[in-house]
Amino acid sequence: MLHAAVRGVSGRQGIYLTGKPQQMLVFDDGLVLVQASGALAVAPGGGATAGARLQASTRRGGDKGTDDGQEYAAVTKRSTFLPYDSIASAVLERGRIGAQRLRILTDDGRELSHAYQPLHGPDEELLPLLTGKLGERFTDERATT
């Protein structure tokens, strides 16, 4: 079951100034990170357009009849599925200009991040889900910075 969709950006790549548009979906069985198409974001003003199109396609994707993240990632282009048991640690930290960044370290050593504005990511839903699924592997460092 899809619990939350958080619109944000991944790390900067290529000519992107603020990061590549990315959507983080929180399912019962794990997280799915979905990247926007590079072609959409390269056009002038395309970053914002890519983010809006990504969010709309994610909403439509919820209608694909998938109940879990693994199924969703299997039928969605440019997506990464992270089962909760493969996440070694996740840290939520304060970013620049009011943004927040969720840094994820996987068991196989990959480091992934998802930066978002609180307007786009309802913390009242996201924080209890991450705390419940990850337990002590999840840390909220925003209050200490």
Side-chain angles (χ1 to χ4, degrees):
M1 178 174 149
L2 177 63
H3 291 286
V6 184
R7 181 178 170 191
V9 294
S10 64
R12 283 186 250 177
Q13 300 173 2
I15 65 168
Y16 304 105
L17 299 177
T18 60
K20 196 170 190 177
Q22 175 175 261
Q23 189 92 337
M24 181 176 68
L25 305 172
V26 182
F27 285 90
D28 285 332
D29 61 337
L31 303 175
V32 177
L33 299 175
V34 183
Q35 296 285 331
S37 168
L40 291 174
V42 170
T49 303
R53 287 182 184 172
L54 176 62
Q55 191 171 23
S57 70
T58 301
R59 279 194 301 271
R60 286 191 306 271
D63 299 332
K64 293 180 180 178
T66 59
D67 288 334
D68 62 20
Q70 187 170 14
E71 288 178 11
Y72 184 89
V75 297
T76 306
K77 294 179 183 178
R78 295 174 299 279
S79 64
T80 302
F81 173 65
L82 299 170
Y84 292 115
D85 59 358
S86 75
I87 298 174
S89 66
V91 178
L92 184 61
E93 53 193 28
R94 190 171 310 282
R96 293 183 228 155
I97 314 170
Q100 302 175 118
R101 180 177 304 277
L102 180 65
R103 292 193 183 276
I104 302 167
L105 181 63
T106 63
D107 287 339
D108 61 2
R110 286 185 300 159
E111 186 174 331
L112 305 165
S113 70
H114 184 74
Y116 65 96
Q117 294 289 335
L119 286 174
H120 300 302
D123 285 343
E124 63 275 0
E125 295 175 21
L126 183 61
L127 295 180
L129 286 167
L130 292 176
T131 301
K133 296 292 187 180
L134 298 175
E136 292 181 3
R137 295 176 290 155
F138 174 67
T139 308
D140 185 354
E141 291 187 350
R142 292 173 305 157
T144 61
T145 57

